[in-house]
Amino acid sequence: MKQKQKPSHKIHFVAFIVASIDGRISKNKESKVKNWTSLEDWKFFQDSLVKYNVVIVGYNTYKIAETNLKKRNTIVFTSRVVKPKIIGSVVFLNPKYSNILDFLKSTKRKNVAILGGPKVYNFFLEHKMLDELYVTIEPYIFSDGVPMFSGKFREVRLSLQSVKKINKKGTLLLKYKYAN
Amino acid sequence: MKQKQKPSHKIHFVAFIVASIDGRISKNKESKVKNWTSLEDWKFFQDSLVKYNVVIVGYNTYKIAETNLKKRNTIVFTSRVVKPKIIGSVVFLNPKYSNILDFLKSTKRKNVAILGGPKVYNFFLEHKMLDELYVTIEPYIFSDGVPMFSGKFREVRLSLQSVKKINKKGTLLLKYKYAN
């Protein structure tokens, strides 16, 4: 992989994650309806997205939210292409062959929202590109399902910026900064 | 299994969990030293344990903390026995063959701390015996490792009781109640 090892000072990467208490983001890869996520989190997420001029998702996440993502500047990480393939406002890109930083620079997009799934979140963590992380914890335990991050074990230190209880049932919105 | 399906009004079960942001409780089953957990959490945990007259752990957790657990009234869930086997203050019990509620009633122990691992936490969740849950979230991401709960997927609703930031680096202590 050709990704740079230092955080970029120009491009800002922020991940948004909604999870259960036990760190699961969905039942399985294809789960569409997340009836356990709260309206307050959805509102926060939609209000936040206004600030970002491009979102990055993996192929599974793209297929689940295709209708909405097609309307945005979306980069889809996928192993199905070698060179970036552009369809409307959506770019299919293989991070194994294309450097995402170079690509973003060429498009002059500086505020990037990373929307999952676990391999995509892990890609930015692994390449030390993740600047901030919003984690919403819904008050559920699932005991199984898709984890937040999927990759090799490593201890990545973050720093807690803020904690907010966003509704009565106890959904928590945590904001972290990369600290390593 | 012969476990009762309703929460007991007499015996109080509380689980204690320390995890990373992404819901991992250790690198692997045998991990001994958790150098990523904070002193403040350890203090909270030790102060809390005073209130419980018995702790329940799985066999792996027991082996890791044997020296400390031998000094307590400890029940070890294990498939290695058929009937409960008592060695000093430690009872080895197979929940498949022995009803844990009946066993606890016979010992007149009413305050039970559940200390893991994931299958043991899940046992009490699955049998609707978990009354409260303390989750400490240390500001790390691991991307792999042992999950908090391990079992079949199910949506178990909890209710957030309190949130505390217990140190500068941003360790969070969350308290949940069973809500289903």
Side-chain angles (χ1 to χ4, degrees), chain A:
Chain A
M1 299 211 196
K2 293 178 285 179
Q3 314 303 327
K4 289 180 185 167
Q5 289 303 307
K6 279 193 181 181
S8 163
H9 296 288
K10 290 197 177 156
I11 302 177
H12 192 66
F13 293 94
V14 181
F16 291 85
I17 304 182
V18 191
S20 63
I21 299 164
D22 57 333
R24 309 293 186 166
I25 60 171
S26 63
K27 185 175 179 180
N28 55 50
K29 275 184 190 174
E30 293 79 28
S31 305
K32 285 211 178 187
V33 188
K34 291 194 180 181
N35 51 11
W36 50 276
T37 61
S38 58
L39 196 67
E40 294 80 7
D41 176 66
W42 181 249
K43 219 184 142 332
F44 159 75
F45 178 57
Q46 292 301 322
D47 290 351
S48 300
L49 275 190
V50 175
K51 300 170 211 155
Y52 298 86
N53 43 33
V54 60
V55 304
I56 300 183
V57 291
Y59 192 78
N60 289 320
T61 306
Y62 178 70
K63 289 316 278 182
I64 288 166
E66 193 168 359
T67 319
N68 288 327
L69 290 171
K70 265 184 173 171
K71 298 174 200 158
R72 299 187 176 275
N73 295 314
T74 299
I75 297 173
V76 182
F77 274 13
T78 175
S79 58
R80 291 162 194 242
V81 298
V82 176
K83 281 182 189 176
K85 185 178 164 185
I86 300 170
I87 301 174
S89 66
V90 181
V91 181
F92 296 85
L93 181 149
N94 189 337
K96 220 170 156 178
Y97 299 118
S98 302
N99 185 303
I100 182 68
L101 280 181
D102 291 345
F103 183 83
L104 286 166
K105 275 174 201 162
S106 76
T107 62
K108 297 191 176 158
R109 302 234 157 82
K110 292 185 177 177
N111 289 307
V112 185
I114 302 155
L115 309 185
K119 277 191 279 181
V120 176
Y121 291 135
N122 194 65
F123 177 91
F124 289 94
L125 190 75
E126 190 186 342
H127 292 95
K128 302 185 183 181
M129 291 193 276
L130 201 61
D131 297 299
E132 284 173 5
L133 175 63
Y134 286 96
V135 181
T136 301
I137 303 182
E138 298 288 357
Y140 289 91
I141 295 171
F142 292 162
S143 297
D144 198 5
V146 180
M148 286 192 200
F149 288 79
S150 162
K152 272 189 209 163
F153 183 91
R154 57 164 63 77
E155 287 182 15
V156 179
R157 172 87 186 274
L158 284 88
S159 138
L160 182 72
Q161 302 295 298
S162 65
V163 185
K164 241 191 225 172
K165 190 180 151 187
I166 58 172
N167 58 26
K168 263 195 169 178
K169 72 173 181 176
T171 301
L172 286 177
L173 175 60
L174 314 181
K175 184 183 176 185
Y176 288 96
K177 263 196 170 173
Y178 189 78
N180 268 30

